[in-house]
Amino acid sequence: MIAQARAGECIQALSAILDRNALLTGADIPARNTADTSFLPPVRPLAVARPDTPQGVADVLRICAAHDVPVVPQGGLTGLAGGAHPIEGAVALSLERLQGIEEIDAAAATMTVRAGTPLEVIQKAADEAGFFIPLDLGARGSCAIGGNLGTNAGGNRVIRYGMAREMVLGIEVALADGTLMTSLNKMIKNNAGFDLKQLFIGSEGTLGVITRTVLRLHPQPGCTMAALCGVDDYGSVVKLLNGARRGLGPLLSAFEVMWPDYWHAATVRVPGIRRPVEGDHAFYVLVEAQGLDEQVDGGRFQSWLESQFEAGLIADAAISQSKADTLAFWRTRDAAGEFQTVLGAHCAFDIGLPVDAMDDFAKACRSRLEVEVPGCLSVYYGHIGDGNLHIVALVEGAATQPAADINRIVYETVRAFGGTVSAEHGIGTVKKPYLPYSRSAEELALMATIKKALDPKNILNPGKVIDLDVEAAS
Amino acid sequence: MIAQARAGECIQALSAILDRNALLTGADIPARNTADTSFLPPVRPLAVARPDTPQGVADVLRICAAHDVPVVPQGGLTGLAGGAHPIEGAVALSLERLQGIEEIDAAAATMTVRAGTPLEVIQKAADEAGFFIPLDLGARGSCAIGGNLGTNAGGNRVIRYGMAREMVLGIEVALADGTLMTSLNKMIKNNAGFDLKQLFIGSEGTLGVITRTVLRLHPQPGCTMAALCGVDDYGSVVKLLNGARRGLGPLLSAFEVMWPDYWHAATVRVPGIRRPVEGDHAFYVLVEAQGLDEQVDGGRFQSWLESQFEAGLIADAAISQSKADTLAFWRTRDAAGEFQTVLGAHCAFDIGLPVDAMDDFAKACRSRLEVEVPGCLSVYYGHIGDGNLHIVALVEGAATQPAADINRIVYETVRAFGGTVSAEHGIGTVKKPYLPYSRSAEELALMATIKKALDPKNILNPGKVIDLDVEAAS
């Protein structure tokens, strides 16, 4: 039983602490804050609150909680799963004015930033200070670090640097009752009680609102080597992955695999994409390593590639001779970003699977889609080294995509193969119906226990990620 | 208000599901299970339950919870903070019979193990399968992986591989009510809801009992390079650390700093320790890197060291020419293990500090100890690259060590410098009084909220890590 929200009083109380620029209502609510990137229909929130201090964020939560008004935290609004999508009757709590880098500590190799700061600003500041922020994704220019942590963002370099979670040393969070919990730790080792930050990273704003964070800085890579390989069977792909892990060790920064259906769509259907290797192969693998210096590690990369060729794992390969080459290799992988334009409306998936099951999964999924959804094209590609597979599926030229059928078939196949319905994008509302495909009744019940403990009034992003009356899917 | 424990009925119910070897009571309770390595006086538990299946562990918890009997989880009993120390009237739930490696998945680079398995067994199995488990600590032969995760163990290679937390992909936990939550994920990327395993790693058995885990395997390092450097001031130590981060990148595997008082104790007082560098220096730094092959990375290490010498950061250095050299370098650091014998009873600390504050901290702490505890010797050394400082402090020859005063002074100085009272050993009972020195009232309150939500009857390791009626230390 949820208490009756007292919206009017809540807005009044908020207006007493927020100036005109920090509280937008009615016609002043910007279109920007009515949707994220999940393609759900826009929703006008009750109001947009955009405080510019951590304490301001906490105060908004305190007032909303006191009036039983739910809150939807918003960062850069680039999420694909609906985590930041507004809810009717809820205040959109936007971090867009809580921006800026507070400190770079060169000795500790840390950066303290406010949650609304765009990722690209953070990357550039690290670069200027002689450091490197490994987190990188397509939305870098508009996504905010708070949202990156709230969704535990992944990206291309997870195989080397881990997910966003691994880059965080400290955090500050506004809790559901308006408490501001400051835990801006800079130390790599800190076992003083429970590691509270872990709760908030990846919880998509359902347990608290991140206001500041301390990020771990890495040294800048000295050089980047890349190769695009044609490989003849999936067994060889797995052997090549293990060969890369051994031969390139911690230098290995990406291992991207593209299935032939993807390769065709990316290099034939998308205009202007060069094919680094010619001929037909069962798999196309982009291997990237970041070295310390070109002279030592460039030679090492070439020798490693030759050894894999001699071992019969690679049928054909192009090795990058320049930054332009490396960019051209990545364009075959990034061409997926053009599918919306070239192929039209489609269903996109971000699933995870045990590495050795991936090709069997792709075969099974493709075959079910072809049989059960006449005319369905599905293409497969992903960060295989991290267990992450992307799928784009559609019926070309269909007036409306049979999204319900495609979703059901893909997620049922994920469940059958013991995979995860979300590797990196999160659950939000879009994938919530499928969460029980990847999590047991016991896991879902524990998530609900945590949610109820941290947000007993269910005002933080209610209805996102999990439902509070959890039942196992059978 | 805690319900009255019904001990007799509980033992009776346990004996109905555990055979004679799995439930020990009265005189059959082994001395081993009456203490961990915290030097607290032995306590005889109500009984020792040692089931040999995950479901058995969950069943013991269910029965104990039903009878309001508290439980103390026990692994290898090598913890230094009292986390596994028995409590009077509680059942000691030992994982010692839940041993074994269930699977090594070469494609996913994962190993699935039971919680009672000793770390060394896991290291050897990884090695035989051509992989590497980076977690390593002195107690490797007797500590159990479940305890390593329960305390989020650190060790020497955290700068490169992270804490135990970073090595875990999946976990199975018996919850306080006897639910067995199996979450044996093998994928590096999995954002399907809250990352529940993070709650249990480092919570010292207060939120659940880890029964199995999936560990991430790493490639074996191809070669190890090491140098022992004399450095003349702390500013140069920090510059050398940053130089190592840049010049050795992800190969850097250890950066250990020893203050002169430590160096004297380790190389003069402890017999048989060779001094790799002669002369008096303000700091002694052991730098280690793990490379892919000797030929390429050995030369790289030597060039890097020369560049640091030319930059004036190093006054004198010895570079390892053999495994025996590397071992000899590490002996100066591992000599701390002999202090108990050579210096006698002492207080040992495992604190963390921001890197740039470490030397100021050491000066302040040493000075306060000298003034306020007449005759007090304190020596400083640690994993500086990780923000971790160890201290050994004592009054030599004292009949009884003034431990209360030494503890108070050290932890007050930690608080003044914004450090942590435990970098890697955990809180247990030994450091519980000092937890508020490193955690705010808001952080402690949230820990209590989580504890109450996951263990409402307070039967899991009660009184460890946090008190449930939390008040901030002022």
Side-chain angles (χ1 to χ4, degrees):
Chain A
M1 182 63 201
I2 290 173
Q4 190 62 39
R6 287 166 289 130
E9 288 172 45
C10 181
I11 299 296
Q12 204 168 1
L14 288 173
S15 69
I17 62 153
L18 297 171
D19 64 27
R20 190 179 288 186
N21 189 31
L23 183 67
L24 305 171
T25 54
D28 291 341
I29 292 175
R32 174 182 186 277
N33 298 90
T34 63
D36 62 4
T37 314
S38 57
F39 300 105
L40 294 168
V43 170
R44 182 173 291 273
L46 178 63
V48 175
R50 35 186 212 186
D52 60 0
T53 63
Q55 189 56 54
V57 174
D59 289 342
V60 169
L61 279 178
R62 181 176 45 76
I63 289 169
C64 289
H67 294 86
D68 299 301
V69 170
V71 170
V72 177
Q74 294 189 331
L77 293 160
T78 59
L80 299 166
H85 202 75
I87 296 171
E88 227 161 297
V91 167
L93 174 47
S94 172
L95 282 290
E96 64 200 271
R97 293 175 67 239
L98 186 63
Q99 290 198 21
I101 289 154
E102 297 198 342
E103 187 202 41
I104 293 178
D105 180 336
T110 62
M111 182 194 285
T112 308
V113 294
R114 297 186 187 135
T117 313
L119 177 58
E120 199 169 42
V121 171
I122 292 169
Q123 291 172 334
K124 281 184 180 161
D127 189 61
E128 280 163 20
F131 287 99
F132 178 64
I133 287 277
L135 184 64
D136 190 36
L137 44 142
R140 68 185 70 80
S142 43
C143 66
I145 190 69
N148 296 150
L149 302 193
T151 54
N152 187 28
N156 292 331
R157 300 198 191 98
V158 172
I159 197 170
R160 170 153 172 184
Y161 296 98
M163 304 284 281
R165 184 183 299 281
E166 273 80 43
M167 301 170 196
V168 182
L169 293 172
I171 213 168
E172 181 180 67
V173 184
L175 302 179
D177 66 355
T179 300
L180 187 65
M181 191 192 73
T182 303
S183 193
L184 294 172
N185 167 68
K186 286 184 181 181
M187 293 165 280
I188 292 174
K189 284 176 161 175
N190 188 346
N191 276 345
F194 308 161
D195 191 357
L196 299 170
K197 65 177 178 286
Q198 306 293 350
L199 270 174
F200 302 98
I201 300 169
S203 66
E204 303 184 42
T206 62
L207 301 179
V209 181
I210 297 168
T211 50
R212 290 190 290 174
T213 180
V214 179
L215 300 173
R216 187 175 178 180
L217 297 172
H218 288 261
Q220 290 174 334
C223 59
T224 300
M225 293 80 63
L228 217 156
C229 312
V231 179
D232 283 344
D233 60 89
Y234 193 70
S236 295
V237 171
V238 173
K239 281 185 190 153
L240 187 63
L241 171 61
N242 275 327
R245 284 175 178 144
R246 273 151 223 268
L248 304 171
L251 307 183
L252 179 65
S253 52
F255 193 93
E256 305 285 317
V257 176
M258 296 164 268
W259 273 251
D261 39 25
Y262 172 87
W263 188 253
H264 180 81
T267 65
V268 177
R269 301 289 300 276
V270 177
I273 306 288
R274 201 179 93 194
R275 286 176 163 232
V277 290
E278 284 301 332
D280 289 333
H281 300 283
F283 297 91
Y284 301 84
V285 181
L286 171 55
V287 186
E288 189 196 78
Q290 292 181 337
L292 297 167
D293 55 89
E294 187 71 48
Q295 206 184 337
V296 173
D297 293 310
R300 157 178 281 160
F301 187 76
Q302 179 133 11
S303 311
W304 171 77
L305 199 68
E306 283 161 10
S307 72
Q308 304 303 297
F309 194 83
E310 281 158 22
L313 299 179
I314 299 172
D316 191 11
I319 187 164
S320 168
Q321 304 295 334
S322 65
K323 278 190 184 172
D325 279 353
T326 303
L327 215 63
F329 293 0
W330 273 104
R331 286 202 71 198
T332 65
R333 173 63 182 76
D334 293 339
E338 305 297 320
F339 285 173
Q340 187 74 23
T341 312
V342 172
L343 303 177
H346 59 256
C347 303
F349 299 91
D350 152 56
I351 62 160
L353 291 158
V355 175
D356 62 359
M358 283 199 172
D359 189 43
D360 290 339
F361 168 87
K363 284 177 186 152
C365 191
R366 185 188 298 112
S367 151
R368 268 198 72 183
L369 284 171
E370 282 171 0
V371 171
E372 297 179 40
V373 182
C376 186
L377 167 73
S378 59
V379 307
Y380 301 80
Y381 60 106
H383 321 289
I384 301 303
D386 314 328
N388 186 186
L389 188 68
H390 292 300
I391 309 168
V392 163
L394 72 162
V395 176
E396 280 196 80
T400 319
Q401 287 298 323
D405 284 339
I406 292 176
N407 280 329
R408 181 180 48 76
I409 291 166
V410 170
Y411 288 127
E412 281 177 6
T413 315
V414 168
R415 178 169 60 182
F417 277 81
T420 174
V421 297
S422 176
E424 55 183 8
H425 297 168
I427 298 299
T429 50
V430 172
K431 293 185 200 155
K432 198 175 67 166
Y434 307 105
L435 185 59
Y437 286 34
S438 297
R439 295 295 186 196
S440 65
E442 293 81 12
E443 291 172 291
L444 295 172
L446 183 56
M447 289 183 205
T449 298
I450 294 163
K451 170 69 174 169
K452 286 175 190 163
L454 266 72
D455 181 17
K457 291 181 138 186
N458 195 25
I459 68 149
L460 269 170
N461 232 356
K464 306 288 178 77
V465 186
I466 50 161
D467 287 315
L468 286 183
D469 298 308
V470 176
E471 286 185 354
S474 58
Chain B
M1 183 64 199
I2 290 173
Q4 190 61 39
R6 287 165 289 129
E9 288 171 45
C10 181
I11 300 296
Q12 205 167 0
L14 287 174
S15 70
I17 62 153
L18 297 171
D19 65 26
R20 188 179 291 186
N21 189 32
L23 183 67
L24 306 172
T25 55
D28 291 340
I29 291 174
R32 174 184 186 277
N33 299 89
T34 63
D36 63 3
T37 313
S38 57
F39 301 105
L40 295 167
V43 170
R44 181 173 293 272
L46 179 63
V48 175
R50 35 186 212 186
D52 59 0
T53 62
Q55 190 57 53
V57 174
D59 289 343
V60 169
L61 278 179
R62 181 177 43 76
I63 289 169
C64 289
H67 294 87
D68 299 301
V69 170
V71 169
V72 177
Q74 292 189 332
L77 292 161
T78 59
L80 300 165
H85 203 76
I87 295 171
E88 227 162 295
V91 168
L93 173 49
S94 173
L95 283 288
E96 64 200 272
R97 293 175 66 237
L98 186 63
Q99 289 198 21
I101 288 155
E102 297 198 342
E103 187 202 39
I104 292 178
D105 180 336
T110 61
M111 181 193 284
T112 307
V113 294
R114 296 187 188 135
T117 314
L119 177 58
E120 197 169 44
V121 171
I122 291 169
Q123 292 172 333
K124 282 184 179 159
D127 188 61
E128 280 163 21
F131 288 99
F132 178 63
I133 287 276
L135 185 64
D136 191 36
L137 44 143
R140 67 185 70 79
S142 43
C143 66
I145 189 69
N148 296 149
L149 302 193
T151 55
N152 187 28
N156 291 331
R157 299 197 190 99
V158 172
I159 197 170
R160 170 152 172 184
Y161 296 98
M163 304 285 280
R165 184 182 300 281
E166 275 79 44
M167 301 170 196
V168 182
L169 293 173
I171 215 168
E172 182 181 66
V173 184
L175 302 178
D177 66 356
T179 300
L180 187 65
M181 191 192 71
T182 303
S183 193
L184 292 172
N185 168 66
K186 286 182 178 182
M187 293 165 279
I188 291 174
K189 283 177 163 175
N190 189 345
N191 275 346
F194 307 161
D195 191 358
L196 298 170
K197 65 177 178 286
Q198 306 292 351
L199 269 175
F200 302 99
I201 300 169
S203 67
E204 303 184 43
T206 61
L207 301 179
V209 181
I210 296 168
T211 51
R212 290 190 289 174
T213 180
V214 179
L215 300 173
R216 187 176 178 179
L217 297 172
H218 288 260
Q220 290 174 335
C223 58
T224 300
M225 294 80 64
L228 217 155
C229 313
V231 179
D232 282 344
D233 59 88
Y234 192 69
S236 296
V237 170
V238 173
K239 281 184 190 154
L240 187 64
L241 171 60
N242 275 327
R245 284 177 178 143
R246 274 151 222 268
L248 304 171
L251 308 182
L252 178 65
S253 52
F255 192 93
E256 305 287 315
V257 176
M258 297 165 268
W259 273 251
D261 39 24
Y262 172 87
W263 187 254
H264 180 83
T267 66
V268 177
R269 303 287 300 273
V270 177
I273 306 288
R274 199 179 95 194
R275 285 178 165 231
V277 290
E278 283 302 332
D280 290 334
H281 300 282
F283 298 91
Y284 302 84
V285 181
L286 172 53
V287 186
E288 189 196 79
Q290 292 182 338
L292 297 167
D293 55 89
E294 188 70 49
Q295 207 184 336
V296 173
D297 294 310
R300 156 178 282 161
F301 187 76
Q302 179 132 11
S303 309
W304 171 77
L305 199 67
E306 284 161 9
S307 73
Q308 303 302 297
F309 194 83
E310 282 158 21
L313 300 178
I314 300 172
D316 192 11
I319 187 163
S320 169
Q321 305 293 336
S322 64
K323 278 190 183 172
D325 279 353
T326 303
L327 215 64
F329 293 180
W330 274 103
R331 286 203 70 199
T332 64
R333 174 61 184 77
D334 294 338
E338 305 297 320
F339 285 174
Q340 188 74 25
T341 313
V342 172
L343 303 176
H346 59 255
C347 303
F349 299 90
D350 152 55
I351 62 161
L353 291 157
V355 175
D356 61 0
M358 283 198 172
D359 190 43
D360 289 339
F361 168 87
K363 283 176 187 152
C365 190
R366 186 189 298 110
S367 153
R368 267 199 73 182
L369 285 169
E370 281 172 1
V371 170
E372 297 179 40
V373 182
C376 186
L377 167 74
S378 59
V379 307
Y380 302 79
Y381 62 106
H383 320 290
I384 301 303
D386 315 327
N388 186 187
L389 187 69
H390 292 300
I391 308 167
V392 163
L394 73 161
V395 176
E396 281 196 80
T400 319
Q401 287 298 323
D405 285 338
I406 292 176
N407 281 329
R408 182 180 48 76
I409 292 166
V410 170
Y411 288 127
E412 281 177 5
T413 316
V414 168
R415 178 169 59 181
F417 278 80
T420 174
V421 297
S422 176
E424 56 184 7
H425 297 168
I427 298 298
T429 51
V430 172
K431 292 185 201 155
K432 198 175 65 166
Y434 306 105
L435 184 59
Y437 286 34
S438 297
R439 295 294 186 198
S440 65
E442 293 81 13
E443 291 172 293
L444 295 172
L446 183 56
M447 289 182 204
T449 297
I450 294 165
K451 170 70 173 168
K452 285 175 189 164
L454 266 72
D455 181 17
K457 290 181 139 188
N458 196 24
I459 68 150
L460 269 170
N461 232 355
K464 306 287 178 78
V465 185
I466 50 160
D467 287 316
L468 286 185
D469 297 310
V470 177
E471 286 185 353
S474 57

